[in-house]
């Protein structure tokens, strides 16, 4: 059974990733969950259905969220978008990988008009203006290469923005805590994220963007920790800031 670029061999309880030539002999609980989702592909399965499936597949205490996390981690960032969390309902395994990025050719009808081109350019300029106004001014800004965070309902592309490698290294403990909490969100409705930590490590700057029915949406958030401790960032805080849903 094809799942993106992976092959699910039900007879062998094995999942093969053709992108990196790796195979996984699946634990019973993981196998049963994926088997159930494949059987009902395109249909929303409730959390209780998935948890019952896990309980049948193992005698140990485990949650279906942990099982789905392992599956999505193995299939890779692109294929992980096939597994989507549906608010207040459950999870669904899609037939095709959902496109999460846009280009000029993604516009309706693939017809790039002068008006559409100018609209996109203005949106890009707006993003840079917001970034310049939002992040701490410095002579040099380094945009580290895009990374991807696997979330409960897909993946989030993110960039770290720092004035130097040294500042980026110093920021690691606080940043890792933030990313771990972000990964635990039930639902993230953002496509890209930029973040930076101030030189005194007391302000975490977060910029998020997505495309919705109204066009480009951008959200800026500043997390301030006078004692350089960002442990206050948790699920309730992320929801109150409308980063998580």
């Amino acid at each position: 059974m094809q799942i993106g670029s992976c092959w699910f061999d039900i007879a062998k309880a094995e999942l093969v990733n053709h992108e990196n030539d790796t195979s996984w002999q699946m634990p019973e609980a993981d196998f049963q969950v994926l088997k159930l989702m494949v059987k009902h592909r395109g249909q929303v399965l409730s959390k209780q259905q998935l948890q019952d499936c896990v309980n049948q597949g193992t005698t140990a205490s485990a949650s279906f969220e942990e099982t789905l996390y392992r599956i999505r981690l193995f299939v890779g960032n692109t294929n992980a978008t096939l597994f989507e969390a549906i608010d207040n309902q459950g999870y669904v395994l899609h037939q095709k990988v959902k496109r999460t990025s846009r280009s000029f050719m993604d516009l309706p009808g693939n017809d790039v008009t002068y008006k559409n081109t100018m609209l996109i350019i203005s949106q890009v300029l707006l993003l840079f203006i917001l970034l310049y106004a939002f992040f701490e001014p410095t002579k040099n800004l380094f945009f580290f290469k895009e990374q991807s965070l696997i979330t409960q309902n897909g993946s989030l592309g993110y960039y770290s923005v720092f004035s130097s490698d040294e500042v980026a290294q110093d920021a690691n403990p606080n940043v890792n805590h933030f990313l771990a909490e972000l990964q635990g969100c039930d639902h993230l409705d953002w496509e890209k994220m930029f973040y930076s930590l101030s030189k005194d490590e007391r302000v975490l700057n977060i910029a998020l963007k997505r495309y919705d029915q109204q066009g480009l949406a951008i959200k800026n958030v500043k997390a301030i920790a006078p004692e350089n401790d960002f442990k206050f960032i948790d699920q309730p805080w992320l929801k109150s800031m409308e980063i998580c849903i």
Side-chain angles (χ1 to χ4, degrees), residues 36-45 82-84 86 89 91-96:
L36 180 66
M37 297 190 79
V38 166
K39 180 179 179 180
H40 299 280
R41 198 163 190 167
Q43 302 175 24
V44 178
L45 295 173
L82 288 166
F83 301 83
E84 183 181 7
I86 307 300
Q89 296 183 53
Y91 289 79
V92 61
L93 173 60
H94 292 291
Q95 296 286 349
K96 296 181 180 180

Side-chain angles (χ1 to χ4, degrees), residues 146-161:
E146 181 179 7
Q147 300 181 68
S148 187
L149 183 72
I150 296 178
T151 64
Q152 297 294 326
N153 64 306
S155 61
L156 173 71
Y158 68 92
Y159 298 83
S160 53
V161 187

Side-chain angles (χ1 to χ4, degrees), residues 95-142:
Q95 296 286 349
K96 296 181 180 180
V97 173
K98 298 175 66 177
R99 300 182 66 180
T100 57
S101 61
R102 292 180 177 229
S103 66
F104 285 170
M105 297 308 292
D106 290 326
L107 294 171
N110 291 335
D111 183 15
V112 184
T113 64
Y114 175 78
K115 181 179 179 180
N116 287 331
T117 302
M118 294 306 297
L119 177 61
I120 292 173
I121 292 174
S122 65
Q123 290 175 342
V124 172
L125 289 174
L126 174 62
L127 177 60
F128 277 104
I129 291 172
L130 286 171
L131 286 174
Y132 180 79
F134 184 61
F135 290 110
E136 184 177 357
T138 180
K139 291 183 179 180
N140 297 300
L141 276 180
F142 295 90

